[in-house]
Amino acid sequence: MSEFVTDLLSAHFFRPCPCGLLKWIPAGDVTVENFLRVLTGRLPPSTPRSKRLLSDDRSNILIYLTGHGGNGFLKFQDSEEISNVELADAFEQMWQKRRYNELLFIIDTCQGASMYERFYSPNIMALASSQVGEDSLSHQPDLAIGVHLMDRYTFYLLEFLEDIHPASKANMNDLFKVCPKSQCVSTPGHRTDLFQRDPESVLITDFFGSVRKVEITTEVVNLTDPIDPANGEAREEMYSYVDQLPVSEIIHQKPKQKDWHPPDGFILGLWTLILLVFFKTYGVKHLKHIF
Amino acid sequence: MAAPRCSRCAWLLLVFIYSLYVVVKSEEPTPGDEQHASVVDNPQTAAETEKQPTEERRWEATQVDETVPDDAAASKQDLPVPDSVLTSTPALKDEFQEELVIRPLHSGDIYASFQFRTVWETDFTRGSKVSHYRLFPKSLGQVISKFSVRELHISFTQGYWRTMQWGQPYLPSPPGAELWVWFQDTVTDVDATWKELTNVLSGIFCASLNFIDSTNTVQPSASFKPLGIANGTDHRFLRYATLPREIVCTENLTPWKKLLPCGSKAGLAVLLKSEKLFHSSFHSQAVHIRPVCQDEPCKTASLELRQTLNVVFDLHASGQGKREWSLFKMFSRTLTEACPLASSSKIYIDVTDNPQEDQFELSPATHLLSQAVVLGDRRTFSVYDLTQQVTFGTVRSLNVLIRWKSTEGDMLRPLLHAERYVAGYGLQTGEIHTLMYNNHPFRSFPVLLLDSVPWYLRLYVHTLTVTSKGKDNKPSYIHYQPSKDRMRPHLLEMLVQLPPHSVTEVTVQFERALLKWTEYTPDPNHGFYVGSSVVSALVPSTVAMNTNITKEQPLFSTFFPTKEESSYFIRVYTEPLLVNLPTPDFSMPYNVICLTCTVVAVGYGSLYNLLTRSFQVEEPNPGLAKRIANVIRKMRGVPPL
């Protein structure tokens, strides 16, 4: 599913397509915790840049969620759930830290409207494929493999977006009209009260496209001198390749010297117990025979 | 959905080329041209260098002011440097070669192996700093210098190499992801550096390498000796980890292709399209970085980067059952030019089994033949040199076609082959069997077996047995490091001598551990993977191997360094194992809570009521008539009924 969206986004809107604007997090990492960490930016310091959401207060963020869900939650990998309250709090954290300018939230699950009910941060616009109490349905099955390939709302949304080109002037009101009840069977909903601008004046390409600012200059920039390569003289000894399987060397390899560790608590306790029992049984007078 | 995606890809390509053209046109006042040494790369931004190669031929030289420092001018090696240019320091040279080897397999499948090699005359071991990257990718160069890496080998594989049907691969790799690194002697804390390195690499290759931690990292004591030049081998600086569960997909191929100097726009890399590459029986991409000798006396070291991609196309899935293969059928592309930055760009087709063209027919015909000793055998190859315009003919495109005429012929049995499986029943105990086959009729040779078993399979090493031909075969070297729960895995290394024409079986019993309930993956009933065993061996060779390292040789024959002529080094990987651990029923907590609460409520509630309820005698409620009568009697002042 996400591949279709990524494909569409990269094919139509991003030019050129830099890896930095599209995040990719492999399937093993998709947990609720990781999702919230990526949104709020609380990632361990060793996380590479391509796994971070490097947004600032001028970035427009598009969040698209799909899958199975219910009243107030969305399922992750069939074992975890994210609730609407958590999501709302995460967005508020993002707002407090100025991590977004405007945010478009699209959700395609059963009872999707429940997920955006709790948002309370400004500049969020939300779309859902179904209201509370309704199910979102799939589009059509593939008879060869026997499963449904796409959801209705996503299908009609993609169909709509394929007609949008980077210079299009279509606004959010057109997006709200995508997939009416006759096509989707469920009633799509949207929420714009938190958004400061009028939806009529918001272009779809604000969220679905991106422009790289290119500044053309005719000045010549002097770069610093490149660093001198360290030395020119050759070594005296020759390098050589290592024997890949030096049988005799391996056989006569000395076992590694294990570091000496002081005896740990268990051994010490055991010996103390033994000594105590001994002295209790036979009396302290034996001490002088030992020391 | 493949067709719409294809059209989107074409769309993307068009948009990209158009935007390139637009950007290039708009920046014309200040570009530099690498072809002409008087103009240097300084005015260009970093983004330009990627687009440079394809634009090179169409650009003209533009004069730049003399204020520009021109010491990087000499970086172009194959063009004459005009005398007017001052060069203060000689920049480091780098060279790029690419090749494709196609080997038709006896089962009707076809094996294609790409190798892209960049050699850079710099020596990171001596602490030299670099500021100018040309053909060598900057991301990898920075990783190497920051983490003091001497050698780095990383591979991503989808599928398992079937040695008995396909023979030996030129570059072996285990299913999933594998990473092994030799650090330099200057590193003080190898484990911390290893952790940071895996995180950075997971970002570069868009893979889940961040799952590599101490529970799947081992430090082999005798296997995985450095493949490049080294002066000492202290195994404290070696780390090896494997992720058998890792899936390889387009998202891993794209950053891999970005590391190539020409990207995927020119040369052999245009064939690397993911729709066809992943529709195959076996797909493996790898990056190998190591220091190599620059020249014969080997006094200076260069850094070599090899990017390899091995793919095996299935006769029935990709070939539609017909024994006829062409570049277009395999990759849905043909070649139009070599990479302009490559000093050599060749295609080798293995025609050893076809001396008189009776087995298959090769077109377009080529008169270039080359012989190379690879994997202990002298093989003959037909060569297509892409740097020569004549290869492309009048149609300006090269589509190599191999058509089979007959299907006879036996495959030479590979000399070393290994298998592994789990025996036993139930979810408590089991037994791991590793079989190693030595198919040589009269020679025996030693092999080094490396087994890394996760901690949740508790090995009983006292049950370890090694038998060949029914008799006990005592290994000449055993190194065993026991596991520590949730901290490190088992490591077992053995040097076993395999008798000729025999099967050696290594068995060890284990017990399965019960994990904590949070440690189970979302799909615990799928099972848990145990990484492949690695069998390293020096196999006797039928022809004399070439020990001269710097003679001009095709890339596929120079990967493993050979020290002696009579044997060659190979590495064989076994299958990974999928083991079921005792899995709790994860729906049970809900059921248990319901049941327990009901029992507690009913049981405790009743008991509490019985104990604390006080009883009072109460008159039964009289009937309606009696009540009216009582009211009248009260009015009269008479006692009620």
Side-chain angles (χ1 to χ4, degrees):
Chain A
M1 184 63 58
S2 62
E3 286 167 12
F4 292 120
V5 182
T6 329
D7 248 355
L8 178 72
L9 292 175
S10 57
H12 286 256
F13 299 112
F14 294 117
R15 53 160 163 197
C17 177
C19 192
L21 279 177
L22 286 174
K23 304 292 161 186
W24 169 255
I25 299 179
D29 289 340
V30 180
T31 59
V32 172
E33 187 194 337
N34 277 345
F35 175 58
L36 293 176
R37 278 184 188 276
V38 165
L39 285 181
T40 53
R42 294 169 189 260
L43 289 160
S46 54
T47 317
R49 281 176 65 93
S50 65
K51 291 196 178 174
R52 290 177 189 263
L53 182 70
L54 303 161
S55 62
D56 54 14
D57 63 326
R58 305 279 312 134
S59 322
N60 288 352
I61 302 185
L62 164 69
I63 297 183
Y64 172 79
L65 295 175
T66 184
H68 283 296
N71 192 355
F73 69 92
L74 170 77
K75 275 174 95 170
F76 267 62
Q77 293 232 31
D78 212 17
S79 69
E80 291 183 304
E81 290 152 7
I82 187 172
S83 68
N84 46 5
V85 178
E86 279 177 346
L87 206 51
D89 287 340
F91 288 159
E92 177 64 15
Q93 278 194 49
M94 287 171 78
W95 175 253
Q96 299 279 348
K97 289 196 218 166
R98 299 285 177 265
R99 282 172 72 81
Y100 70 90
N101 176 33
E102 287 173 349
L103 198 141
L104 177 64
F105 177 77
I106 304 181
I107 183 159
D108 185 4
T109 62
C110 298
Q111 308 190 52
S114 61
M115 289 302 282
Y116 61 63
E117 271 171 2
R118 300 295 196 106
F119 292 165
Y120 55 94
S121 319
N123 279 353
I124 300 184
M125 189 179 308
L127 281 107
S129 61
S130 55
Q131 302 293 332
V132 176
E134 286 182 344
D135 289 337
S136 289
L137 303 176
S138 306
H139 186 65
Q140 88 271 29
D142 182 344
L143 295 168
I145 53 179
V147 291
H148 288 265
L149 292 179
M150 217 180 201
D151 299 330
R152 280 173 193 255
Y153 185 74
T154 309
F155 180 79
Y156 290 110
L157 187 66
L158 274 178
E159 210 177 52
F160 172 76
L161 288 173
E162 279 185 1
D163 294 330
I164 308 285
H165 54 88
S168 156
K169 294 283 170 213
N171 56 31
M172 282 296 163
N173 280 341
D174 303 323
L175 200 62
F176 296 152
K177 294 196 199 103
V178 164
C179 204
K181 194 171 166 97
S182 54
Q183 283 176 325
C184 255
V185 185
S186 56
T187 321
H190 55 90
R191 180 178 177 177
T192 52
D193 57 323
L194 295 166
F195 210 75
Q196 279 162 12
R197 295 194 283 157
D198 185 20
E200 182 112 17
S201 62
V202 179
L203 296 177
I204 292 184
T205 50
D206 277 354
F207 292 99
F208 282 91
S210 99
V211 189
R212 273 273 163 99
K213 283 217 174 304
V214 177
E215 284 184 26
I216 300 166
T217 171
T218 51
E219 294 173 12
V220 170
V221 177
N222 277 340
L223 295 179
T224 54
D225 285 326
I227 301 172
D228 226 331
N231 43 18
E233 84 278 1
R235 285 161 51 101
E236 288 314 310
E237 324 100 66
M238 274 175 44
Y239 288 113
S240 62
Y241 287 99
V242 177
D243 208 351
Q244 289 298 306
L245 195 68
V247 177
S248 52
E249 201 185 294
I250 291 172
I251 293 177
H252 297 113
Q253 209 162 316
K254 273 217 199 27
K256 269 196 315 229
Q257 291 294 344
K258 285 216 355 218
D259 302 329
W260 184 81
H261 294 289
D264 65 349
F266 176 70
I267 302 291
L268 276 175
L270 190 67
W271 279 109
T272 318
L273 182 67
I274 292 173
L275 284 172
L276 256 173
V277 168
F278 176 77
F279 288 120
K280 275 264 166 355
T281 336
Y282 297 109
V284 185
K285 64 181 188 292
H286 287 268
L287 255 183
K288 64 174 189 298
H289 295 287
I290 299 168
F291 293 110
Chain B
M1 293 286 170
R5 202 180 281 172
C6 234
S7 69
R8 280 193 208 127
C9 282
W11 217 136
L12 162 66
L13 208 58
L14 280 171
V15 169
F16 188 82
I17 291 175
Y18 177 68
S19 63
L20 261 182
Y21 184 65
V22 165
V23 173
V24 155
K25 270 263 178 253
S26 60
E27 290 198 30
E28 216 157 26
T30 53
D33 188 348
E34 294 223 292
Q35 291 251 352
H36 296 257
S38 58
V39 178
V40 293
D41 2 27
N42 290 336
Q44 296 159 6
T45 57
E48 278 283 358
T49 47
E50 252 186 55
K51 306 170 202 157
Q52 260 311 73
T54 48
E55 304 301 310
E56 244 175 302
R57 294 218 179 116
R58 298 195 269 273
W59 286 19
E60 297 163 81
T62 316
Q63 289 309 314
V64 185
D65 300 327
E66 59 275 17
T67 53
V68 173
D70 38 20
D71 39 1
S75 62
K76 211 34 177 150
Q77 41 154 17
D78 36 353
L79 292 164
V81 178
D83 295 343
S84 56
V85 175
L86 319 155
T87 52
S88 48
T89 47
L92 304 164
K93 290 179 3 169
D94 47 9
E95 193 195 356
F96 175 65
Q97 295 167 308
E98 53 178 18
E99 75 173 30
L100 163 63
V101 183
I102 297 183
R103 188 167 99 193
L105 301 169
H106 277 263
S107 50
D109 308 326
I110 193 148
Y111 170 36
S113 171
F114 292 82
Q115 280 209 38
F116 302 93
R117 177 183 183 227
T118 309
V119 182
W120 192 23
E121 286 175 19
T122 181
D123 193 356
F124 278 108
T125 52
R126 294 215 250 153
S128 56
K129 292 202 182 298
V130 257
S131 61
H132 179 60
Y133 290 87
R134 193 176 143 257
L135 295 177
F136 200 90
K138 186 172 169 190
S139 50
L140 288 181
Q142 288 179 326
V143 162
I144 296 171
S145 54
K146 182 167 179 217
F147 297 109
S148 309
V149 167
R150 195 166 74 191
E151 272 191 35
L152 184 130
H153 301 269
I154 184 166
S155 73
F156 299 97
T157 311
Q158 180 82 0
Y160 174 66
W161 183 269
R162 294 166 220 280
T163 315
M164 291 307 273
Q165 290 161 306
W166 298 341
Q168 293 284 1
Y170 296 122
L171 295 136
S173 50
E178 185 203 38
L179 171 67
W180 57 281
V181 174
W182 274 94
F183 291 96
Q184 287 172 17
D185 309 353
T186 51
V187 175
T188 43
D189 189 354
V190 182
D191 287 315
T193 321
W194 169 252
K195 187 91 189 99
E196 280 179 42
L197 177 66
T198 49
N199 275 313
V200 168
L201 287 175
S202 83
I204 294 178
F205 291 105
C206 289
S208 307
L209 295 176
N210 46 321
F211 283 131
I212 292 180
D213 54 8
S214 64
T215 58
N216 45 25
T217 309
V218 289
Q219 186 184 319
S221 65
S223 309
F224 291 102
K225 296 262 184 241
L227 288 174
I229 54 182
N231 270 339
T233 56
D234 188 352
H235 279 261
R236 282 182 300 141
F237 296 103
L238 169 64
R239 291 290 183 271
Y240 172 79
T242 168
L243 288 172
R245 207 183 167 137
E246 183 72 13
I247 301 172
V248 186
C249 55
T250 318
E251 304 300 330
N252 304 113
L253 184 64
T254 313
W256 186 92
K257 284 198 285 191
K258 275 201 190 154
L259 298 172
L260 296 171
C262 280
S264 54
K265 309 217 178 15
L268 290 171
V270 299
L271 297 177
L272 301 175
K273 292 296 162 197
S274 44
E275 305 97 52
K276 285 297 208 166
L277 280 182
F278 288 101
H279 192 61
S280 56
S281 311
F282 178 83
H283 169 96
S284 166
Q285 62 201 54
V287 171
H288 300 277
I289 301 176
R290 58 177 180 166
V292 291
C293 288
Q294 223 169 68
D295 45 16
E296 185 49 39
C298 209
K299 291 262 172 76
T300 41
S302 312
L303 196 63
E304 179 197 73
L305 164 71
R306 273 191 204 226
Q307 288 181 255
T308 64
L309 196 138
N310 291 349
V311 60
V312 174
F313 291 103
D314 186 56
L315 172 67
H316 299 285
S318 314
Q320 289 117 36
K322 275 170 55 178
R323 281 187 84 148
E324 183 183 300
W325 291 104
S326 70
L327 281 184
F328 190 78
K329 196 172 184 189
M330 291 196 278
F331 304 107
S332 67
R333 291 286 182 289
T334 58
L335 290 166
T336 49
E337 55 166 353
C339 172
L341 298 169
S343 62
S344 107
S345 177
K346 295 202 170 96
I347 300 184
Y348 294 86
I349 318 280
D350 190 341
V351 293
T352 323
D353 302 320
N354 194 32
Q356 277 91 33
E357 300 239 336
D358 47 359
Q359 279 242 331
F360 58 81
E361 176 197 321
L362 190 60
S363 72
T366 174
H367 57 277
L368 288 170
L369 278 180
S370 146
Q371 285 211 335
V373 179
V374 59
L375 296 172
D377 200 9
R378 187 177 300 278
R379 314 287 293 178
T380 317
F381 296 89
S382 292
V383 184
Y384 294 88
D385 191 347
L386 298 178
T387 49
Q388 311 289 332
Q389 264 306 91
V390 68
T391 321
F392 296 105
T394 44
V395 295
R396 304 281 169 92
S397 98
L398 175 66
N399 183 19
V400 180
L401 182 66
I402 303 172
R403 196 179 291 120
W404 257 264
K405 290 195 241 177
S406 75
T407 55
E408 302 134 23
D410 276 319
M411 192 183 72
L412 200 66
R413 273 168 64 115
L415 288 177
L416 178 64
H417 170 54
E419 273 175 7
R420 195 162 68 142
Y421 59 88
V422 172
Y425 60 90
L427 284 176
Q428 188 174 5
T429 52
E431 215 171 276
I432 299 181
H433 290 244
T434 311
L435 291 120
M436 292 182 284
Y437 296 83
N438 178 359
N439 293 323
H440 202 285
F442 51 85
R443 294 277 300 271
S444 73
F445 50 84
V447 301
L448 193 57
L449 174 68
L450 171 79
D451 247 320
S452 161
V453 179
W455 63 268
Y456 39 80
L457 297 187
R458 306 214 162 104
L459 295 184
Y460 291 133
V461 184
H462 71 282
T463 57
L464 176 71
T465 58
V466 183
T467 45
S468 313
K469 290 184 175 169
K471 287 192 307 222
D472 213 17
N473 182 354
K474 192 163 175 314
S476 27
Y477 169 78
I478 301 187
H479 171 72
Y480 174 65
Q481 193 187 46
S483 69
K484 217 166 180 185
D485 270 11
R486 296 176 185 86
M487 280 195 48
R488 51 161 206 255
H490 297 271
L491 173 67
L492 181 62
E493 270 185 281
M494 292 194 295
L495 185 68
V496 184
Q497 188 83 3
L498 299 184
H501 208 70
S502 68
V503 180
T504 306
E505 186 166 345
V506 178
T507 59
V508 62
Q509 288 180 8
F510 65 88
E511 185 190 63
R512 299 167 211 233
L514 188 65
L515 300 178
K516 294 183 183 168
W517 73 287
T518 48
E519 288 173 352
Y520 286 96
T521 52
D523 53 349
N525 289 298
H526 178 72
F528 288 78
Y529 282 93
V530 178
S532 314
S533 295
V534 189
V535 177
S536 320
L538 270 178
V539 178
S541 139
T542 46
V543 296
M545 301 292 295
N546 193 348
T547 51
N548 188 348
I549 33 164
T550 47
K551 221 173 60 140
E552 268 301 311
Q553 280 172 46
L555 294 177
F556 55 86
S557 57
T558 55
F559 187 64
F560 289 115
T562 38
K563 284 246 165 183
E564 44 170 22
E565 291 183 335
S566 56
S567 57
Y568 62 98
F569 178 77
I570 55 168
R571 211 170 260 147
V572 178
Y573 291 92
T574 62
E575 302 98 324
L577 298 174
L578 190 58
V579 172
N580 268 78
L581 290 184
T583 310
D585 184 354
F586 286 104
S587 63
M588 277 315 283
Y590 172 73
N591 296 346
V592 166
I593 290 171
C594 285
L595 216 65
T596 320
C597 289
T598 313
V599 166
V600 166
V602 169
Y604 176 70
S606 327
L607 203 64
Y608 177 78
N609 276 336
L610 277 174
L611 290 174
T612 56
R613 201 181 294 165
S614 60
F615 290 93
Q616 298 163 331
V617 180
E618 197 179 275
E619 288 290 328
N621 215 359
L624 184 62
K626 261 205 179 152
R627 271 191 279 159
I628 295 173
N630 279 341
V631 165
I632 297 171
R633 286 170 89 108
K634 206 162 46 171
M635 286 199 305
R636 280 172 54 193
V638 170
L641 290 168

